[in-house]
Amino acid sequence: MFNLVLSISVSIIVYLGDNNLFMYLLIGYGLFRTFEIIIYQINVILFHPYRSRLIGKEYKIKSPTRIVILLFHNYFEIIFWYSSVYIVISQYIGIGASYRWYDYIKMSFLCFVTFDPSLAEFSGFSYIVSNIAFTELFAGFIMTIISLARFIGLLPEVESIEKI
């Protein structure tokens, strides 16, 4: 919960503040945290069940609902970290005053959820921003794929008319 609140706070702080070393440190932490979330999700969702099986332990989760809530929690945290990056870069290249805080959140959310990096191309943004949008797009794609991989098997079996 702390990191989610921190990501929201950082996005507000960098929007209201001036570019300085402290903001770059916050953004660096945010990008590190995003990397950590993705690696942790891949590890827990894909590899923990296999490791448990290898050592002869039964793999159990606390609840599927809890996992889905935590997954959404991680989604929102990543969205706010990336919006903070967009804010700092737009302020660095001098176009930050023309957009509202909400615009950056919306841009980040749409890029993360729809897998469309062109949404991150506000006028005046540089090639660097399109690359950052691509990394966000990749993070969203990975998070969605590992979520689907984990939960497809938990769906109830449905009878079909055709017999295979």
mmCIF file of all heavy atoms in Angstrom, residues 59-88:
data_model
loop_
_atom_site.group_PDB
_atom_site.id
_atom_site.type_symbol
_atom_site.label_atom_id
_atom_site.label_comp_id
_atom_site.label_asym_id
_atom_site.label_seq_id
_atom_site.Cartn_x
_atom_site.Cartn_y
_atom_site.Cartn_z
ATOM 1 N N TYR A 59 1.069 -26.511 -3.395
ATOM 2 C CA TYR A 59 1.003 -25.065 -3.629
ATOM 3 C C TYR A 59 -0.410 -24.576 -3.363
ATOM 4 O O TYR A 59 -1.373 -25.111 -3.913
ATOM 5 C CB TYR A 59 1.410 -24.742 -5.062
ATOM 6 C CG TYR A 59 1.330 -23.277 -5.382
ATOM 7 C CD1 TYR A 59 2.277 -22.395 -4.895
ATOM 8 C CD2 TYR A 59 0.301 -22.768 -6.166
ATOM 9 C CE1 TYR A 59 2.217 -21.046 -5.177
ATOM 10 C CE2 TYR A 59 0.230 -21.432 -6.453
ATOM 11 C CZ TYR A 59 1.194 -20.569 -5.958
ATOM 12 O OH TYR A 59 1.126 -19.227 -6.241
ATOM 13 N N LYS A 60 -0.530 -23.602 -2.472
ATOM 14 C CA LYS A 60 -1.834 -23.031 -2.153
ATOM 15 C C LYS A 60 -1.720 -21.519 -2.136
ATOM 16 O O LYS A 60 -0.691 -20.971 -1.754
ATOM 17 C CB LYS A 60 -2.310 -23.507 -0.779
ATOM 18 C CG LYS A 60 -2.683 -24.954 -0.712
ATOM 19 C CD LYS A 60 -3.247 -25.287 0.639
ATOM 20 C CE LYS A 60 -3.627 -26.758 0.695
ATOM 21 N NZ LYS A 60 -4.219 -27.109 1.982
ATOM 22 N N ILE A 61 -2.795 -20.872 -2.555
ATOM 23 C CA ILE A 61 -2.866 -19.419 -2.450
ATOM 24 C C ILE A 61 -3.878 -19.079 -1.368
ATOM 25 O O ILE A 61 -4.714 -19.911 -1.004
ATOM 26 C CB ILE A 61 -3.286 -18.776 -3.790
ATOM 27 C CG1 ILE A 61 -4.649 -19.293 -4.248
ATOM 28 C CG2 ILE A 61 -2.226 -19.011 -4.855
ATOM 29 C CD1 ILE A 61 -5.208 -18.586 -5.454
ATOM 30 N N LYS A 62 -3.784 -17.863 -0.830
ATOM 31 C CA LYS A 62 -4.738 -17.470 0.206
ATOM 32 C C LYS A 62 -6.134 -17.366 -0.367
ATOM 33 O O LYS A 62 -7.077 -17.858 0.220
ATOM 34 C CB LYS A 62 -4.315 -16.150 0.845
ATOM 35 C CG LYS A 62 -3.095 -16.296 1.713
ATOM 36 C CD LYS A 62 -2.779 -15.022 2.451
ATOM 37 C CE LYS A 62 -1.537 -15.240 3.302
ATOM 38 N NZ LYS A 62 -1.165 -14.079 4.065
ATOM 39 N N SER A 63 -6.269 -16.689 -1.516
ATOM 40 C CA SER A 63 -7.550 -16.649 -2.205
ATOM 41 C C SER A 63 -7.366 -16.024 -3.583
ATOM 42 O O SER A 63 -6.540 -15.124 -3.756
ATOM 43 C CB SER A 63 -8.592 -15.868 -1.401
ATOM 44 O OG SER A 63 -8.650 -14.525 -1.757
ATOM 45 N N PRO A 64 -8.148 -16.486 -4.567
ATOM 46 C CA PRO A 64 -8.069 -15.887 -5.900
ATOM 47 C C PRO A 64 -8.475 -14.414 -5.885
ATOM 48 O O PRO A 64 -7.907 -13.601 -6.601
ATOM 49 C CB PRO A 64 -9.041 -16.706 -6.741
ATOM 50 C CG PRO A 64 -9.235 -17.972 -6.010
ATOM 51 C CD PRO A 64 -9.015 -17.658 -4.560
ATOM 52 N N THR A 65 -9.431 -14.076 -5.050
ATOM 53 C CA THR A 65 -9.876 -12.683 -4.947
ATOM 54 C C THR A 65 -8.736 -11.796 -4.489
ATOM 55 O O THR A 65 -8.522 -10.704 -5.030
ATOM 56 C CB THR A 65 -11.061 -12.568 -3.960
ATOM 57 O OG1 THR A 65 -12.081 -13.477 -4.352
ATOM 58 C CG2 THR A 65 -11.598 -11.157 -3.923
ATOM 59 N N ARG A 66 -7.979 -12.246 -3.532
ATOM 60 C CA ARG A 66 -6.844 -11.475 -3.019
ATOM 61 C C ARG A 66 -5.803 -11.259 -4.112
ATOM 62 O O ARG A 66 -5.262 -10.168 -4.266
ATOM 63 C CB ARG A 66 -6.219 -12.207 -1.832
ATOM 64 C CG ARG A 66 -5.055 -11.483 -1.208
ATOM 65 C CD ARG A 66 -4.563 -12.277 0.019
ATOM 66 N NE ARG A 66 -3.513 -11.571 0.697
ATOM 67 C CZ ARG A 66 -2.215 -11.736 0.446
ATOM 68 N NH1 ARG A 66 -1.836 -12.580 -0.479
ATOM 69 N NH2 ARG A 66 -1.313 -11.055 1.107
ATOM 70 N N ILE A 67 -5.533 -12.284 -4.907
ATOM 71 C CA ILE A 67 -4.556 -12.166 -5.981
ATOM 72 C C ILE A 67 -5.021 -11.154 -7.026
ATOM 73 O O ILE A 67 -4.226 -10.341 -7.511
ATOM 74 C CB ILE A 67 -4.283 -13.539 -6.625
ATOM 75 C CG1 ILE A 67 -3.455 -14.393 -5.675
ATOM 76 C CG2 ILE A 67 -3.568 -13.387 -7.954
ATOM 77 C CD1 ILE A 67 -3.137 -15.761 -6.205
ATOM 78 N N VAL A 68 -6.300 -11.184 -7.375
ATOM 79 C CA VAL A 68 -6.823 -10.243 -8.365
ATOM 80 C C VAL A 68 -6.757 -8.813 -7.829
ATOM 81 O O VAL A 68 -6.357 -7.892 -8.551
ATOM 82 C CB VAL A 68 -8.260 -10.620 -8.770
ATOM 83 C CG1 VAL A 68 -8.901 -9.532 -9.609
ATOM 84 C CG2 VAL A 68 -8.262 -11.941 -9.518
ATOM 85 N N ILE A 69 -7.092 -8.614 -6.566
ATOM 86 C CA ILE A 69 -7.020 -7.279 -5.971
ATOM 87 C C ILE A 69 -5.577 -6.779 -5.957
ATOM 88 O O ILE A 69 -5.303 -5.626 -6.299
ATOM 89 C CB ILE A 69 -7.632 -7.277 -4.552
ATOM 90 C CG1 ILE A 69 -9.145 -7.440 -4.651
ATOM 91 C CG2 ILE A 69 -7.272 -5.993 -3.804
ATOM 92 C CD1 ILE A 69 -9.829 -7.693 -3.333
ATOM 93 N N LEU A 70 -4.648 -7.630 -5.579
ATOM 94 C CA LEU A 70 -3.237 -7.236 -5.584
ATOM 95 C C LEU A 70 -2.725 -6.964 -6.992
ATOM 96 O O LEU A 70 -1.897 -6.073 -7.191
ATOM 97 C CB LEU A 70 -2.386 -8.317 -4.903
ATOM 98 C CG LEU A 70 -2.581 -8.443 -3.394
ATOM 99 C CD1 LEU A 70 -1.800 -9.632 -2.860
ATOM 100 C CD2 LEU A 70 -2.175 -7.175 -2.684
ATOM 101 N N LEU A 71 -3.222 -7.703 -7.954
ATOM 102 C CA LEU A 71 -2.824 -7.468 -9.337
ATOM 103 C C LEU A 71 -3.291 -6.087 -9.802
ATOM 104 O O LEU A 71 -2.520 -5.336 -10.401
ATOM 105 C CB LEU A 71 -3.400 -8.555 -10.237
ATOM 106 C CG LEU A 71 -3.014 -8.474 -11.701
ATOM 107 C CD1 LEU A 71 -1.528 -8.756 -11.864
ATOM 108 C CD2 LEU A 71 -3.828 -9.457 -12.500
ATOM 109 N N PHE A 72 -4.534 -5.738 -9.518
ATOM 110 C CA PHE A 72 -5.028 -4.397 -9.871
ATOM 111 C C PHE A 72 -4.265 -3.315 -9.119
ATOM 112 O O PHE A 72 -3.977 -2.251 -9.654
ATOM 113 C CB PHE A 72 -6.528 -4.274 -9.610
ATOM 114 C CG PHE A 72 -7.364 -4.898 -10.686
ATOM 115 C CD1 PHE A 72 -8.314 -5.845 -10.365
ATOM 116 C CD2 PHE A 72 -7.200 -4.540 -12.018
ATOM 117 C CE1 PHE A 72 -9.090 -6.422 -11.354
ATOM 118 C CE2 PHE A 72 -7.973 -5.114 -13.008
ATOM 119 C CZ PHE A 72 -8.918 -6.057 -12.682
ATOM 120 N N HIS A 73 -3.953 -3.594 -7.884
ATOM 121 C CA HIS A 73 -3.144 -2.669 -7.080
ATOM 122 C C HIS A 73 -1.817 -2.399 -7.780
ATOM 123 O O HIS A 73 -1.383 -1.253 -7.918
ATOM 124 C CB HIS A 73 -2.945 -3.290 -5.698
ATOM 125 C CG HIS A 73 -2.011 -2.580 -4.817
ATOM 126 N ND1 HIS A 73 -0.656 -2.811 -4.818
ATOM 127 C CD2 HIS A 73 -2.226 -1.622 -3.893
ATOM 128 C CE1 HIS A 73 -0.081 -2.027 -3.930
ATOM 129 N NE2 HIS A 73 -1.010 -1.297 -3.358
ATOM 130 N N ASN A 74 -1.160 -3.460 -8.268
ATOM 131 C CA ASN A 74 0.102 -3.312 -8.992
ATOM 132 C C ASN A 74 -0.085 -2.576 -10.317
ATOM 133 O O ASN A 74 0.761 -1.773 -10.702
ATOM 134 C CB ASN A 74 0.743 -4.675 -9.237
ATOM 135 C CG ASN A 74 1.304 -5.281 -7.974
ATOM 136 O OD1 ASN A 74 1.621 -4.580 -7.023
ATOM 137 N ND2 ASN A 74 1.407 -6.594 -7.952
ATOM 138 N N TYR A 75 -1.191 -2.835 -11.016
ATOM 139 C CA TYR A 75 -1.479 -2.127 -12.261
ATOM 140 C C TYR A 75 -1.502 -0.625 -12.009
ATOM 141 O O TYR A 75 -0.868 0.143 -12.736
ATOM 142 C CB TYR A 75 -2.856 -2.555 -12.798
ATOM 143 C CG TYR A 75 -2.825 -3.579 -13.884
ATOM 144 C CD1 TYR A 75 -2.457 -4.888 -13.619
ATOM 145 C CD2 TYR A 75 -3.189 -3.245 -15.175
ATOM 146 C CE1 TYR A 75 -2.458 -5.836 -14.612
ATOM 147 C CE2 TYR A 75 -3.190 -4.194 -16.180
ATOM 148 C CZ TYR A 75 -2.826 -5.494 -15.893
ATOM 149 O OH TYR A 75 -2.816 -6.412 -16.885
ATOM 150 N N PHE A 76 -2.264 -0.212 -11.014
ATOM 151 C CA PHE A 76 -2.401 1.221 -10.749
ATOM 152 C C PHE A 76 -1.084 1.841 -10.300
ATOM 153 O O PHE A 76 -0.764 2.972 -10.673
ATOM 154 C CB PHE A 76 -3.518 1.491 -9.741
ATOM 155 C CG PHE A 76 -4.876 1.303 -10.339
ATOM 156 C CD1 PHE A 76 -5.709 0.301 -9.885
ATOM 157 C CD2 PHE A 76 -5.311 2.112 -11.376
ATOM 158 C CE1 PHE A 76 -6.957 0.109 -10.446
ATOM 159 C CE2 PHE A 76 -6.558 1.930 -11.950
ATOM 160 C CZ PHE A 76 -7.379 0.923 -11.489
ATOM 161 N N GLU A 77 -0.323 1.122 -9.525
ATOM 162 C CA GLU A 77 0.973 1.642 -9.097
ATOM 163 C C GLU A 77 1.880 1.892 -10.304
ATOM 164 O O GLU A 77 2.510 2.952 -10.410
ATOM 165 C CB GLU A 77 1.647 0.677 -8.124
ATOM 166 C CG GLU A 77 2.943 1.209 -7.573
ATOM 167 C CD GLU A 77 3.630 0.249 -6.633
ATOM 168 O OE1 GLU A 77 2.976 -0.674 -6.084
ATOM 169 O OE2 GLU A 77 4.840 0.415 -6.438
ATOM 170 N N ILE A 78 1.935 0.944 -11.223
ATOM 171 C CA ILE A 78 2.756 1.108 -12.412
ATOM 172 C C ILE A 78 2.272 2.286 -13.252
ATOM 173 O O ILE A 78 3.070 3.073 -13.767
ATOM 174 C CB ILE A 78 2.776 -0.194 -13.239
ATOM 175 C CG1 ILE A 78 3.566 -1.279 -12.494
ATOM 176 C CG2 ILE A 78 3.377 0.039 -14.620
ATOM 177 C CD1 ILE A 78 3.493 -2.649 -13.128
ATOM 178 N N ILE A 79 0.977 2.435 -13.386
ATOM 179 C CA ILE A 79 0.420 3.549 -14.158
ATOM 180 C C ILE A 79 0.860 4.885 -13.570
ATOM 181 O O ILE A 79 1.264 5.804 -14.298
ATOM 182 C CB ILE A 79 -1.116 3.436 -14.230
ATOM 183 C CG1 ILE A 79 -1.494 2.287 -15.166
ATOM 184 C CG2 ILE A 79 -1.752 4.757 -14.674
ATOM 185 C CD1 ILE A 79 -2.942 1.869 -15.094
ATOM 186 N N PHE A 80 0.822 5.020 -12.256
ATOM 187 C CA PHE A 80 1.223 6.282 -11.628
ATOM 188 C C PHE A 80 2.730 6.506 -11.721
ATOM 189 O O PHE A 80 3.174 7.645 -11.889
ATOM 190 C CB PHE A 80 0.745 6.353 -10.179
ATOM 191 C CG PHE A 80 -0.686 6.781 -10.071
ATOM 192 C CD1 PHE A 80 -1.684 5.850 -9.856
ATOM 193 C CD2 PHE A 80 -1.038 8.111 -10.208
ATOM 194 C CE1 PHE A 80 -3.004 6.238 -9.770
ATOM 195 C CE2 PHE A 80 -2.358 8.515 -10.127
ATOM 196 C CZ PHE A 80 -3.344 7.571 -9.912
ATOM 197 N N TRP A 81 3.527 5.441 -11.638
ATOM 198 C CA TRP A 81 4.971 5.625 -11.799
ATOM 199 C C TRP A 81 5.289 6.128 -13.200
ATOM 200 O O TRP A 81 6.095 7.040 -13.380
ATOM 201 C CB TRP A 81 5.743 4.331 -11.512
ATOM 202 C CG TRP A 81 5.888 4.015 -10.056
ATOM 203 C CD1 TRP A 81 5.519 2.853 -9.440
ATOM 204 C CD2 TRP A 81 6.453 4.837 -9.017
ATOM 205 N NE1 TRP A 81 5.805 2.913 -8.096
ATOM 206 C CE2 TRP A 81 6.388 4.126 -7.813
ATOM 207 C CE3 TRP A 81 6.990 6.116 -9.000
ATOM 208 C CZ2 TRP A 81 6.840 4.636 -6.606
ATOM 209 C CZ3 TRP A 81 7.449 6.630 -7.800
ATOM 210 C CH2 TRP A 81 7.375 5.889 -6.622
ATOM 211 N N TYR A 82 4.674 5.522 -14.203
ATOM 212 C CA TYR A 82 4.950 5.965 -15.567
ATOM 213 C C TYR A 82 4.415 7.372 -15.824
ATOM 214 O O TYR A 82 5.032 8.142 -16.566
ATOM 215 C CB TYR A 82 4.394 4.976 -16.591
ATOM 216 C CG TYR A 82 5.370 3.885 -16.919
ATOM 217 C CD1 TYR A 82 5.243 2.620 -16.374
ATOM 218 C CD2 TYR A 82 6.442 4.127 -17.766
ATOM 219 C CE1 TYR A 82 6.148 1.617 -16.669
ATOM 220 C CE2 TYR A 82 7.360 3.135 -18.064
ATOM 221 C CZ TYR A 82 7.206 1.893 -17.513
ATOM 222 O OH TYR A 82 8.113 0.911 -17.798
ATOM 223 N N SER A 83 3.285 7.720 -15.259
ATOM 224 C CA SER A 83 2.799 9.094 -15.440
ATOM 225 C C SER A 83 3.781 10.086 -14.837
ATOM 226 O O SER A 83 3.991 11.172 -15.389
ATOM 227 C CB SER A 83 1.402 9.265 -14.840
ATOM 228 O OG SER A 83 1.430 9.145 -13.438
ATOM 229 N N SER A 84 4.424 9.724 -13.743
ATOM 230 C CA SER A 84 5.443 10.597 -13.147
ATOM 231 C C SER A 84 6.621 10.782 -14.097
ATOM 232 O O SER A 84 7.161 11.884 -14.220
ATOM 233 C CB SER A 84 5.944 10.017 -11.818
ATOM 234 O OG SER A 84 4.890 9.902 -10.903
ATOM 235 N N VAL A 85 7.013 9.714 -14.767
ATOM 236 C CA VAL A 85 8.108 9.808 -15.742
ATOM 237 C C VAL A 85 7.712 10.753 -16.874
ATOM 238 O O VAL A 85 8.500 11.613 -17.285
ATOM 239 C CB VAL A 85 8.479 8.415 -16.291
ATOM 240 C CG1 VAL A 85 9.454 8.520 -17.452
ATOM 241 C CG2 VAL A 85 9.046 7.538 -15.189
ATOM 242 N N TYR A 86 6.487 10.609 -17.370
ATOM 243 C CA TYR A 86 6.027 11.488 -18.447
ATOM 244 C C TYR A 86 6.013 12.953 -18.003
ATOM 245 O O TYR A 86 6.365 13.845 -18.774
ATOM 246 C CB TYR A 86 4.638 11.089 -18.922
ATOM 247 C CG TYR A 86 4.560 9.730 -19.562
ATOM 248 C CD1 TYR A 86 3.486 8.892 -19.328
ATOM 249 C CD2 TYR A 86 5.563 9.269 -20.400
ATOM 250 C CE1 TYR A 86 3.404 7.643 -19.908
ATOM 251 C CE2 TYR A 86 5.499 8.023 -20.987
ATOM 252 C CZ TYR A 86 4.410 7.215 -20.737
ATOM 253 O OH TYR A 86 4.342 5.972 -21.314
ATOM 254 N N ILE A 87 5.609 13.190 -16.774
ATOM 255 C CA ILE A 87 5.568 14.561 -16.254
ATOM 256 C C ILE A 87 6.962 15.156 -16.213
ATOM 257 O O ILE A 87 7.185 16.278 -16.670
ATOM 258 C CB ILE A 87 4.908 14.602 -14.856
ATOM 259 C CG1 ILE A 87 3.427 14.265 -14.954
ATOM 260 C CG2 ILE A 87 5.109 15.970 -14.209
ATOM 261 C CD1 ILE A 87 2.750 14.002 -13.615
ATOM 262 N N VAL A 88 7.912 14.419 -15.664
ATOM 263 C CA VAL A 88 9.282 14.939 -15.549
ATOM 264 C C VAL A 88 9.876 15.212 -16.924
ATOM 265 O O VAL A 88 10.491 16.254 -17.150
ATOM 266 C CB VAL A 88 10.166 13.967 -14.733
ATOM 267 C CG1 VAL A 88 11.633 14.310 -14.869
ATOM 268 C CG2 VAL A 88 9.758 13.988 -13.274
#
